[in-house]
Amino acid sequence: MLVAITRAVSRAITRCELTHLERTPIDLERARAQHRDYEAALARLGCKVISLPEEPELPDSVFVEDPAIVLDELAIITRPGAESRRPETATIRAALAPHRPLVEIEAPGILDGGDVMRIGKTLWIGVTPRSNPRAIAQMRERLAPLGYIVNSAGVHGCLHLKTAITAASDDTVLLNPEWVDAGLFSQYRVLTVDPSEPSAANLLRVGEHALFPTAFPKTRARLAQAGIETIPIDASELAKAEGALTCCSLIFTV
Ligand code: CIR
């Protein structure tokens, strides 16, 4: 069975971290309505949704992808790169404890789950202001014995690796070549975003299905042409907080 952990949008979202975007007003009720639609879409696609209660004091806590990485064998509790986000790990640790053995990223390592892309037994980890080589070394040390290959990738011009690239299928990646070096990923079939939609590389796989933002119709058409069908979903309000589709859930099998 697929489980999706999510968390309600915090009333403090207007104080979210922003790196590459200007602050613009976020409509809390609209963000919450879109987030409920997202949870409903996950449920329709077969997930048991575990929706954690709102954290009124933690602005970015809706983005549950960043405090943990869930693999089949274990879950890694991260040490988020933004200090304001470190308290988010406590409740994520508690939510994951029944499902996986837990390991922790230790200081001076920093890591955001948004920088970790898994394709089969290979993990690609972005080196960004949120994730450093010390954490990547810890990941490699812990996961190599389980058969994982851990690679790093530079990211330029966007927040996380998965803002620049996500896996669209087991052998296909969707990427923005301005933000990540496409040459690194030549072992996969590489699809690129439409140049007029730079933020369109974040696709969320849910089992055999995929959710994709309504904001990027041209890239969605490119995906369809390559044989990858996606279900459109409006996530425009949380996009103002620099969040995309993968950021709002931790999806795993139990
Ligand atoms: C942050 O800067 O941490 C949040 N405002 C956005 C986090 C988005 N998470 C993600 O891409 N995995």
Side-chain angles (χ1 to χ4, degrees):
M1 182 182 58
L2 279 181
V3 168
I5 293 181
T6 59
R7 173 150 42 208
V9 181
S10 173
R11 66 197 65 186
I13 185 85
T14 48
R15 291 189 273 119
C16 67
E17 297 281 342
L18 284 177
T19 309
H20 295 277
L21 289 187
E22 294 290 320
R23 198 166 295 278
T24 53
I26 296 176
D27 181 331
L28 178 60
E29 284 322 308
R30 189 155 186 261
R32 285 185 167 160
Q34 289 180 355
H35 187 258
R36 280 192 296 271
D37 289 348
Y38 173 89
E39 292 177 324
L42 294 179
R44 270 198 306 279
L45 296 178
C47 296
K48 176 187 171 199
V49 179
I50 299 176
S51 183
L52 302 178
E54 181 204 358
E55 289 281 355
E57 299 299 326
L58 298 178
D60 284 303
S61 51
V62 64
F63 302 121
V64 292
E65 169 177 69
D66 293 315
I69 296 117
V70 186
L71 303 175
D72 288 344
E73 302 85 349
L74 49 73
I76 298 105
I77 304 299
T78 68
R79 185 165 175 271
E83 242 183 284
S84 70
R85 301 202 54 190
R86 297 210 178 128
E88 294 174 28
T89 55
T91 43
I92 294 294
R93 190 181 286 113
L96 287 173
H99 303 292
R100 293 289 191 276
L102 302 179
V103 299
E104 311 260 342
I105 295 296
E106 313 281 355
I110 52 167
L111 185 69
D112 277 7
D115 278 318
V116 182
M117 174 176 73
R118 185 184 66 78
I119 305 182
K121 292 281 267 190
T122 301
L123 298 186
W124 291 90
I125 307 185
V127 180
T128 68
R130 301 290 180 86
S131 300
N132 65 12
R134 300 294 287 269
I136 297 174
Q138 291 176 34
M139 291 286 277
R140 193 171 288 123
E141 216 172 278
R142 281 167 183 153
L143 299 176
L146 299 174
Y148 285 91
I149 297 166
V150 176
N151 294 323
S152 62
V155 179
H156 309 280
C158 65
L159 182 60
H160 285 130
L161 178 70
K162 279 191 285 187
T163 327
I165 177 171
T166 53
S169 74
D170 288 341
D171 65 358
T172 305
V173 292
L174 171 65
L175 62 78
N176 177 341
E178 301 287 319
W179 290 345
V180 77
D181 176 5
L184 274 180
F185 302 96
S186 57
Q187 64 188 278
Y188 309 110
R189 177 169 68 138
V190 173
L191 305 177
T192 55
V193 299
D194 188 277
S196 66
E197 298 175 342
S199 299
N202 189 273
L203 168 154
L204 175 63
R205 293 177 78 190
V206 186
E208 297 303 305
H209 303 278
L211 295 177
F212 196 71
T214 46
F216 308 122
K218 292 181 180 160
T219 304
R220 183 161 179 255
R222 285 186 179 207
L223 286 162
Q225 216 158 26
I228 294 172
E229 293 303 331
T230 57
I231 301 162
I233 183 154
D234 188 358
S236 52
E237 213 53 36
L238 287 178
K240 298 176 187 170
E242 233 167 331
L245 290 184
T246 63
C247 319
C248 293
S249 55
L250 285 167
I251 299 177
F252 52 93
T253 308
V254 292

